[in-house]
Amino acid sequence: MAVSIKSKREIEIMREAGKILGTVLNNLSKEIKPGMTTHRIDQLGEEMIRSYGCVPSFLGYQGYPASICVSVNEEIVHGIPSKKRILHEGDIVSMDAGVIYKGYQSDAARTVGVGEISVEAKQLIEVTTQSFFEGIQFAKEGCHLHEISNAIAAYNESHGYSVIRDLVGHGIGAELHEDPQIPNFTQERRGIKLYEGMTLAIEPMVAAGGYAVKWLDDDWTAITADHSLSAHYENTVLVTKNGPEILSLVEE
Ligand code: MF3
Ligand code: CO
């Protein structure tokens, strides 16, 4: 399918959706403390999303049973919230959420520490986050998709980390997952040319060890095969002639 170019009206709605999602993730990040369950994160997140008149887009998506994907430590993405999973001081927790507002989607993720975390964990989160910003410099009309992928990969690999290959970013709009797929690892093919009005969910998933993935028996949770720590950072981004506009990031 061709990659869609959003109209002014669609972009305006996606800006609103992104602002809501960015605010939800900021507020949810502040709630994270040792002793809380991953179920509680999902419950708070769903309440926040609905309080803005949005629908949590992950709930029921291909059977996913929650509103927020909560992935702890070696879990990369798509962790299922549970009343039995308690967060401990020193853990790192990735929160991935999607909202639907007036028929349009926004998708974003943050990884935060639980209480005090190790220097190694802090660096993994910082490098993963920065790699997103390295990549989106190329979310600009006239660039090719592989420039985003390659910049994300190079930044993470220069720090000795691996980017996950089994999971990728994606176009986004009326649907959560639209074309194109956006790998975070180095691409030989240059991929599509980018144009103003494309909206992309760019989401580096990074491991401190190797990139091999295993899936838990719940069929959702992806973990690092070597059980090394993993972080995830994502925003919905609009391509413009002058560069990226990050729709789902609300600066505090
Ligand atoms: N951000 C995730 C992605 O782009 C969405 C999670 S899929 C769901 O794949 F099933 F959990 F909703
Ligand atoms: Co996504």
Side-chain angles (χ1 to χ4, degrees):
M1 211 183 80
V3 177
S4 66
I5 303 289
K6 272 70 181 183
S7 68
K8 267 203 167 127
R9 178 191 142 267
E10 291 176 302
I11 289 167
E12 207 38 65
I13 296 172
M14 289 186 72
R15 276 199 187 103
E16 290 296 315
K19 214 170 277 173
I20 291 167
L21 181 55
T23 304
V24 165
L25 286 172
N26 286 350
N27 291 342
L28 205 47
S29 297
K30 290 180 195 135
E31 297 287 336
I32 302 302
K33 27 186 120 38
M36 87 190 290
T37 65
T38 56
H39 165 76
R40 183 66 185 144
I41 298 173
D42 179 54
Q43 201 177 42
L44 287 168
E46 179 172 357
E47 279 170 16
M48 290 176 190
I49 289 168
R50 293 197 191 279
S51 76
Y52 289 101
C54 292
V55 173
S57 53
F58 297 176
L59 185 61
Y61 182 84
Q62 292 183 2
Y64 185 76
S67 299
I68 316 286
C69 297
V70 185
S71 308
V72 184
N73 296 337
E74 77 276 13
E75 295 170 2
I76 303 161
V77 286
H78 303 169
I80 298 178
S82 161
K83 287 183 177 167
K84 292 189 195 137
R85 186 72 193 262
I86 297 166
L87 297 179
H88 299 290
E89 179 107 17
D91 286 343
I92 64 172
V93 56
S94 304
M95 292 166 288
D96 186 354
V99 302
I100 308 173
Y101 179 72
K102 296 186 180 170
Y104 286 85
Q105 303 262 350
S106 197
D107 183 6
R110 308 284 181 258
T111 301
V112 302
V114 181
E116 276 297 306
I117 60 172
S118 68
V119 175
E120 290 78 15
K122 227 176 259 177
Q123 182 180 283
L124 175 66
I125 295 171
E126 281 169 12
V127 170
T128 302
T129 304
Q130 184 56 34
S131 74
F132 164 87
F133 290 95
E134 299 293 324
I136 64 163
Q137 295 181 57
F138 301 98
K140 187 176 173 178
E141 182 159 305
C143 290
H144 288 83
L145 195 62
H146 80 155
E147 293 178 87
I148 297 177
S149 305
N150 294 357
I152 291 171
Y155 190 77
N156 285 302
E157 287 163 6
S158 75
H159 286 83
Y161 299 145
S162 306
V163 289
I164 301 302
R165 294 164 176 243
D166 296 68
L167 297 143
V168 296
H170 49 94
I172 181 167
E175 302 297 328
L176 174 59
H177 293 133
E178 299 184 355
D179 284 342
Q181 292 200 0
I182 309 173
N184 298 300
F185 51 99
T186 307
Q187 304 295 302
E188 291 301 331
R189 290 183 78 170
R190 63 184 190 175
I192 62 157
K193 194 169 174 177
L194 300 174
Y195 290 95
E196 181 158 287
M198 290 180 175
T199 43
L200 309 174
I202 298 173
E203 50 178 320
M205 291 155 266
V206 180
Y211 58 71
V213 170
K214 278 187 180 156
W215 268 269
L216 298 187
D217 286 338
D218 62 23
D219 238 13
W220 278 104
T221 315
I223 68 166
T224 54
D226 61 9
H227 294 270
S228 65
L229 278 186
S230 175
H232 181 204
Y233 185 82
E234 175 179 23
N235 280 303
T236 300
V237 175
L238 170 69
V239 177
T240 82
K241 291 198 168 74
N242 307 316
E245 180 181 331
I246 309 173
L247 302 181
S248 56
L249 181 60
V250 176
E251 306 275 3
E252 299 208 279

